[in-house]
Structure formats: C-alpha cells, structure tokens
Amino acid sequence: MDQTPPDPQAERKRIIKGRNIALASLLFALVVLFFFITIAKRMG
Amino acid sequence: MSTAPAQPIPLPTDWRDFLSLTKPRVMSLVIFTGLCGLLAAPVPVDPILGFTAILCIALGAGGSAALNQWWEADLDAKMKRTASRPLPAGRMERSSARDFGVVLSVLSVLIMGLASGWLAAALLAFSIFYYAVIYTVWLKPRTPQNIVIGGGAGAFPPMIGWIAATGEITLMPVLLFAIIFFWTPPHFWALALFVETDYAAAGIPMMPVVAGHKSTRRQILVYAVLLLPIALAPFLLGLAGWFYGGSALLLGAMFLLLSLKVATFRNAQNDADMRAERRLFAFSVLYLFALFAALVADRFIAG
C-alpha cells in the first residue's frame, strides 16, 4: 500500500479550491435568498 | 549563517473546519425546535419567509457556537472530547473563528429583521449574546448553576420561530421557552456525570464536580419533576389539544422514571458504564424531539 505523504503544495491548492467553492456557493445562495425574500414580501 | 531549518508554512483552514465550528449536531436540535415553534404558531406562514427564519436561527446558533469555541479554545484543549476541534488542534487561527462567528451572527440578525420582522431579530440577537457572552464568558467558568441559567440560550429557538410567524410574544412561546429551560439541566447533568473527569480537568465548575454526584442526581430529579407540569401546561391551559397532552404525559412519565433511576442509583460511583445516566441523556434528546413533534402534529390535527 502506498504510504507517500500528500504533496503540501497540492494539498494547499485543494483546500483553497474547496474554500473558494464553498464561499462562492454561499454568496450565490444569499443572492437567491434575498431575491425570494423580496418576492415574498412584495406578494405578502 | 543560520542553519535552522525553514518553518513549514501552515496549511490554510479547510471549509469543513469552519462548518464544524458551528456545532452542526447541536444545531440540528436548534433547527428542529425553531421549526416546531414556527409550525405550531396559529397563523399561515409564507414558506420562503418561514425557511428564511429557520435559516437565520441556524446561522445565529452557528455564529454563537463559533464565538463559544473562539473563547474556550484553551479549555477545549484540556478536554479529550473537544481537543480535536479546529482551534485546539491548531488547524485554524483564533481570529478566523472570531470573525466567522461575528459575521454569521450579524448576518443572521439582519436577514431575520428584513424577512420576519425586528422583534424576532432582536430576540435572535439577544439569544446570541446570551450564549456567547452571558453563558460562555460569564457563567460557565464561574458557577455550577451555569447550565441552569445558560439553558436559556438553547430555549430561545422555538420562541423565535413562533414570533417570526406571529410577530408577537404571547403565553405559548414563553411556555415553549420554559420547557427547554427546565429540560436542559437534567439533560446536561446526565452528560456531565459520565464525562465528569473531562470537565474537572478543564476546571469548569460543572455540578457533579462542585456539588458531587449525590446532589447532582437529586437536582436532576427535581428538574424532571418540575418539567412535567410545565410540559403539560399548554394542554392544561387550552393552548394545545389532547394529542399533545397525552404525549407530554407519557414522555414526561418516562423522563421522570429515568431520572428517578439516576437519583436513586446507590452504587453509581462504582459503575464504570453509568448506564442510567447514559440512558437518561439519550432519552432526553428523544424526549425533546418527540414533545415538539407532538405539538406540531397536534396543531395539524386541530386544523
């Protein structure tokens, strides 16, 4: 079985990519949420 | 010329560590009770605004949990149960946890205010302050009554959910608050009895550490006795129907029975398994889920 430790540079890139995706998803979700809140408030 | 080896640059914090700062397992109970408060309210709720209110309660709980871990990082490092959290394990900068907690908290209050009104938002803000400051900073390290008074922090979600739906504070949300308030001490003390060594190592004055097992067991029983009429109050006052009343009676009787076993177990000090305490702790979680589910079911049965 291969016991080679992960390359720190590759690990760093993987973590940063994951964080960027998480943050972008969060911002997108907030924009969508505000859009729907506005619609719901206007209709209510 | 220096021959010291170059320090490795620490890895950036993984997003999963930020997620774990929000204590997702605790949050599930917070979301559930908040949702029940919202659904049990006697008014129709716009699904989007209802979803937003629950999201805000979850964000607020996550924010205050992050602030709690930021403040308690040193204590967490001393306890086996918490030593692997992102801060004590060194996977995150302390300031990152603090900033994350502040951003989540502020965001939750602002969105709640815009979507569900500023009364619910003010209560959410107060609940975050209550948990992050009154409980974490002030009470927890100072008094064995920390859980009793701090239990108020966990009691806010159903009240906030109800107020987000109705826009006003009435007797029912106060009763929902009281149910969780009186449920918290037996729930946490049962846990504290079988993780006592951890709390003692961190110097946290949990009831079993300060007052001893016997007194803690007696107090667990006292709160279980008080919880029964409080949980029955919505039915007795005509605010909930027979389904809720029957469920509250049955669940309350079981809670009382398990608490009685904990209170009267003579040789518990020698019982390495602490079975009675573990059983009470596990049932207490089920109790709260079932009681609030019964409240919502009762509301739908009543129409």
Side-chain angles (χ1 to χ4, degrees):
Chain A
M1 205 175 137
D2 186 19
Q3 291 291 325
T4 317
D7 173 23
Q9 204 57 37
E11 185 69 357
R12 180 179 301 277
K13 276 188 182 168
R14 187 192 64 76
I15 291 173
I16 289 175
K17 188 181 172 189
R19 277 172 55 162
N20 287 345
I21 291 171
L23 193 60
S25 307
L26 189 70
L27 289 174
F28 178 72
L30 276 178
V31 171
V32 173
L33 182 68
F34 275 114
F35 173 75
F36 281 114
I37 290 173
T38 309
I39 302 283
K41 291 292 247 186
R42 294 226 165 188
M43 287 173 73
Chain B
M1 201 174 130
S2 171
T3 55
Q7 286 287 321
I9 304 164
L11 286 172
T13 308
D14 195 280
W15 66 270
R16 290 174 193 84
D17 284 327
F18 281 101
L19 183 66
S20 77
L21 271 189
T22 63
K23 298 187 183 173
R25 280 173 62 189
V26 176
M27 201 193 276
S28 63
L29 198 62
V30 167
I31 290 173
F32 180 75
T33 55
L35 182 66
C36 289
L38 189 94
L39 294 177
V43 289
V45 183
D46 183 283
I48 291 165
L49 297 182
F51 169 80
T52 307
I54 298 304
L55 182 72
C56 290
I57 291 172
L59 286 178
S64 54
L67 290 171
N68 167 276
Q69 288 186 55
W70 162 65
W71 186 262
E72 292 187 340
D74 296 334
L75 290 177
D76 284 347
K78 294 176 187 167
M79 294 197 285
K80 202 167 59 183
R81 189 172 61 87
T82 53
S84 61
R85 285 177 176 174
L87 287 172
R91 298 195 303 273
M92 184 184 286
E93 293 280 333
R94 285 184 80 140
S95 58
S96 300
R98 180 199 59 203
D99 298 346
F100 181 65
V102 169
V103 168
L104 277 191
S105 302
V106 171
L107 206 60
S108 67
V109 173
L110 285 180
I111 300 174
M112 180 70 100
L114 292 170
S116 304
W118 294 102
L119 182 60
L123 205 61
L124 179 62
F126 182 69
S127 73
I128 294 167
F129 175 78
Y130 197 105
Y131 184 71
V133 179
I134 297 179
Y135 171 66
T136 302
V137 177
W138 184 39
L139 291 171
K140 194 172 175 182
R142 280 179 177 78
T143 164
Q145 295 297 329
N146 48 18
I147 286 303
V148 178
I149 309 163
F156 279 110
M159 200 180 186
I160 297 169
W162 181 287
I163 292 165
T166 63
E168 59 178 357
I169 301 176
T170 52
L171 180 60
M172 189 60 182
V174 175
L175 286 174
L176 297 181
F177 177 93
I179 288 169
I180 300 185
F181 186 84
F182 282 90
W183 165 88
T184 305
H187 166 74
F188 266 106
W189 285 337
L191 172 73
L193 279 170
F194 61 82
V195 292
E196 185 201 331
T197 47
D198 251 7
Y199 284 120
I204 298 171
M206 276 293 168
M207 193 59 83
V209 179
V210 177
H213 281 207
K214 200 176 167 188
S215 170
T216 306
R217 288 166 196 281
R218 201 172 50 237
Q219 292 189 64
I220 282 176
L221 184 61
V222 169
Y223 277 95
V225 169
L226 291 172
L227 181 61
L228 186 62
I230 290 166
L232 279 170
F235 167 69
L236 297 174
L237 296 171
L239 299 168
W242 280 101
F243 184 75
Y244 173 80
S247 305
L249 188 63
L250 185 68
L251 290 164
M254 287 169 75
F255 197 100
L256 204 55
L257 189 70
L258 290 173
S259 301
L260 197 64
K261 278 188 179 172
V262 169
T264 55
F265 197 69
R266 303 271 175 228
N267 300 317
Q269 292 275 17
N270 301 324
D271 181 9
D273 292 340
M274 292 263 184
R275 264 172 300 177
E277 291 74 14
R278 287 178 195 275
R279 213 172 285 162
L280 175 62
F281 177 74
F283 180 76
S284 66
V285 178
L286 177 72
Y287 170 90
L288 204 65
F289 269 112
L291 189 74
F292 276 79
L295 184 71
V296 175
D298 188 85
R299 158 105 176 87
F300 284 105
I301 289 168

